[in-house]
Amino acid sequence: MEKTLVFGHKNPDTDTICSAIAYANLKSKLGVNAEPARLGEVNKETQYALDYFKQEAPQLIEEVPADVKDVILVDHNEFQQSVSNIQDVRITEVIDHHRVSNFETKEPLYFRAEPVGCTATILNKMYKENGVEVTKEIAGLLLSAIISDSLLLKSPTCTQEDVDAAHELAEIAGVELEKYGLDMLQAGADLSEKSPLELITMDAKEFAMGNAKVEIAQVNTVDANKVYELQAELEEVMDKAVQEKGLDLFLFVVTDILHNDSEVLARGAGVEKVADAFQVQLDSNNRALLKGVVSRKKQIVTALTDAFTK
């Protein structure tokens, strides 16, 4: 039986890694020779979840191997966020919770995109729909993904489905939701050992917004000022990315997980679009505080897309 790889987007976050593991597990139990993979390094938050539930990180790939013909995408569908040779393989399924953009296949496929806060919420339903029991370990990974994407159920992307799934999965996983969630988020918020390049690449996604090319990197922290002590170095690596990738805008988003706000740093010719999108004034350092903004998907991408396309 030919192997199918299951993977999420580049610069993987907790939902990407945990959903790849969980869906490969489900597909295997349904008779598919499925294996999880990842397109980047595992961050501290995700590693905390993997260690807690005693799971190995998926195999790291830079492109789909020649002997693999079929792939399943989780937590993304935009080709620029996927593996480099994505157009050379057959996409058999997509399980996602983001917008659909820059996506085309030659053959029909199973495409499931739901307006929930996390891919793991969809996968939890799919286990039930297929009559497959969610083990303690898989429940823990799915729960970790929901906590991460919803900032412990506080993000505006969080739906009642996410809340219900989180409580259900916490019970199966045998953890106290609030305590485990805060411990995991704080593990991920420790950025003390990260270089400026790592900070702007550890969770970065590229988007097409009209004719513009935009990259948005986001990190979670409990002290944004500490991160911005490196602003000069951050600007240097951001400017290099703008030049090398031909970006119109690079937006670095530092999200305070305790106060649910974000302070952003903008670089590139499209800096003024940030002011237009969020009705804020960038200071002399090209930074602005976005009160109540924590979601890249629902609050940042949508507002910037409107600004670039109006």
Side-chain angles (χ1 to χ4, degrees), residues 22 25 31 46 82 104 116 181 194 213 221 240 244 249 262 266 273 277 310:
N25 174 268
T46 308
S82 200
E104 183 178 356
V116 292
K194 298 295 182 183
K213 191 176 180 182
T221 186
K240 184 177 180 181
E244 291 180 348
L249 173 68
S262 294
K273 296 297 183 181
K310 69 180 180 181

Side-chain angles (χ1 to χ4, degrees), residues 33-307:
N33 182 18
E35 293 182 9
R38 57 186 169 93
L39 308 186
E41 296 304 316
V42 175
N43 64 39
K44 287 185 178 180
E45 178 191 278
T46 308
Q47 192 61 55
Y48 180 92
L50 293 174
D51 291 344
Y52 193 99
F53 293 104
K54 298 178 173 58
Q55 298 295 298
E56 294 292 328
Q59 60 184 300
L60 174 65
I61 61 171
E62 294 185 359
E63 60 180 26
V64 178
D67 62 335
V68 175
K69 305 302 180 186
D70 294 346
V71 301
I72 296 173
L73 308 186
V74 294
D75 198 34
H76 77 298
N77 65 80
E78 299 188 45
F79 281 4
Q80 70 270 21
Q81 297 176 8
S82 200
V83 72
S84 60
N85 61 338
I86 187 64
Q87 293 182 325
D88 299 329
V89 295
R90 182 168 56 223
I91 303 171
T92 60
E93 298 183 43
V94 173
I95 313 296
D96 195 14
H97 69 121
H98 296 95
R99 71 176 189 175
V100 179
S101 180
N102 188 28
F103 181 84
E104 183 178 356
T105 61
K106 297 177 182 178
E107 301 177 33
L109 76 162
Y110 180 80
F111 195 110
R112 184 163 180 168
E114 297 188 20
V116 292
C118 184
T119 307
T121 299
I122 306 171
L123 295 181
N124 185 50
K125 290 193 290 186
M126 295 180 73
Y127 269 84
K128 294 177 183 178
E129 292 164 2
N130 286 280
V132 176
E133 179 183 1
V134 177
T135 65
K136 175 181 179 178
E137 292 75 20
I138 293 298
L141 296 185
L142 293 175
L143 170 65
S144 300
I146 295 172
I147 289 170
S148 176
D149 269 14
S150 70
L151 283 181
L152 198 47
L153 310 181
K154 294 176 183 176
S155 169
T157 62
C158 186
T159 68
Q160 189 60 47
E161 284 192 56
D162 299 297
V163 174
D164 293 344
H167 285 284
E168 173 187 318
L169 291 164
E171 184 173 348
I172 298 172
V175 298
E176 198 282 306
L177 178 57
E178 290 290 330
K179 182 182 185 310
Y180 172 77
L182 188 57
D183 288 346
M184 188 192 81
L185 290 177
Q186 288 183 329
D190 178 11
L191 305 174
S192 58
E193 298 177 358
K194 298 295 182 183
S195 69
L197 179 60
E198 289 172 324
L199 288 171
I200 72 159
T201 57
M202 59 188 288
D203 186 7
K205 291 184 178 180
E206 190 178 299
F207 300 90
M209 300 181 180
N211 295 321
K213 191 176 180 182
V214 177
E215 186 158 338
I216 305 172
Q218 184 173 26
V219 297
N220 294 336
T221 186
V222 294
D223 188 354
N225 289 330
K226 192 71 176 175
V227 176
Y228 279 121
E229 287 179 359
L230 302 172
Q231 180 164 342
E233 294 93 335
L234 287 166
E235 289 180 346
E236 184 178 344
V237 292
M238 290 170 69
D239 290 345
K240 184 177 180 181
V242 167
Q243 182 177 11
E244 291 180 348
K245 298 181 181 181
L247 301 175
D248 295 275
L249 173 68
F250 195 126
L251 189 68
F252 181 56
V253 183
V254 182
T255 298
D256 186 326
I257 63 173
L258 299 181
H259 299 94
N260 292 325
D261 297 322
S262 294
E263 188 165 1
V264 299
L265 170 64
R267 304 294 289 179
V271 163
E272 74 282 354
K273 296 297 183 181
V274 178
D276 294 342
F278 301 104
Q279 299 300 298
V280 294
Q281 187 66 44
L282 293 170
D283 64 19
S284 58
N285 290 320
N286 286 324
R287 281 162 52 185
L289 178 64
L290 306 184
K291 298 290 292 182
V293 173
V294 296
S295 170
R296 174 170 49 194
K297 177 183 74 171
K298 190 168 185 177
Q299 295 173 298
I300 298 175
V301 171
T302 52
L304 280 175
T305 299
D306 287 344

